Amino acid sequence: MTQDIHTGLPPSAWIVRHAALLRAGGKVLDVACGGGRHVRWLQQRGHTLFAVDRNAEALAGLQDIAQVRVADLESGPWPYAQQTFDAVLVTNYLWRPLLPHIVQAVAPGGVLLYETFALGQASIGKPSNPEFLLRPGELLDAVRPALRVIAFEDGFTTTPHPAYVQRIAAVREATNASAADRYNLLI
């Protein structure tokens, strides 16, 4: 897996593993995107990209490949109002008041790929504040019943570094060929 020369990090293995669920050429929103490792990776695969983060400096390097928005996601309004996307990605970020907005931003037939730290993480490192650590099954509770869960993990991992995480891949059902249908074709 190649590393992003701008952030020094490879794309999340969870995102890569479930990228086949994304509609070809679809609109993808990366929430709290940081330096844009997923934006850059998905741009190489032909997606239309939207990136939001509070760090204007990090977003400046993405302006040529994504529609960027500088927004303080924790104190301002959700910057995408009623917009929906074919995929919404979140990695290593949690602000619970945003969870309903993130789920609502998934278009019919669209995908949510979310991965962040979980309780237990404080025993091995940062983040250690429980406000930024998911409780057992919390991602499941946040997406159901609006989205269909395709994959879920909750526990300890050693890759790419030791961490307690929760990960979810979920789709919003649609009447036509959806991400869930694309997933079923893969297995």
Side-chain angles (χ1 to χ4, degrees):
M1 196 174 331
T2 60
Q3 288 191 344
D4 183 321
I5 61 168
H6 301 280
T7 64
L9 297 172
S12 157
W14 186 255
I15 301 298
V16 171
R17 178 177 163 194
H18 296 288
L21 293 171
L22 279 62
R23 182 175 296 131
K27 291 179 6 179
V28 179
L29 171 63
D30 191 346
V31 177
C33 68
R37 65 184 170 141
H38 298 111
V39 171
R40 286 179 172 68
W41 187 78
L42 289 167
Q43 186 265 340
Q44 295 172 358
R45 284 145 185 81
H47 295 281
T48 302
L49 297 154
F50 296 77
V52 62
D53 199 283
R54 67 180 179 185
N55 184 337
E57 196 173 304
L59 289 172
L62 301 175
Q63 291 178 339
D64 291 340
I65 61 173
Q67 295 182 37
V68 300
R69 286 199 184 162
V70 177
D72 184 344
L73 297 168
E74 296 167 16
S75 64
W78 173 244
Y80 294 97
Q82 301 301 313
Q83 280 184 272
T84 60
F85 300 87
D86 298 310
V88 178
L89 314 178
V90 186
T91 58
N92 300 333
Y93 179 76
L94 175 63
W95 186 248
R96 286 178 177 88
L98 283 184
L99 288 171
H101 296 290
I102 290 167
V103 170
Q104 289 171 353
V106 177
V111 181
L112 171 65
L113 300 178
Y114 203 129
E115 171 184 45
T116 197
F117 298 101
L119 284 178
Q121 181 64 25
S123 69
I124 60 170
K126 300 272 184 202
S128 57
N129 183 338
E131 290 298 312
F132 306 118
L133 303 174
L134 289 164
R135 296 180 294 271
E138 189 171 358
L139 276 180
L140 288 171
D141 294 339
V143 305
R144 293 188 299 201
L147 305 179
R148 175 181 167 206
V149 176
I150 300 297
F152 176 74
E153 295 179 2
D154 184 354
F156 182 76
T157 184
T158 58
T159 308
H161 50 76
Y164 285 87
V165 297
Q166 272 186 55
R167 303 170 172 142
I168 200 162
V171 298
R172 183 177 304 280
E173 297 292 346
T175 55
N176 57 5
S178 68
D181 297 327
R182 291 190 297 278
Y183 178 80
N184 289 333
L185 293 174
L186 296 173
I187 53 174

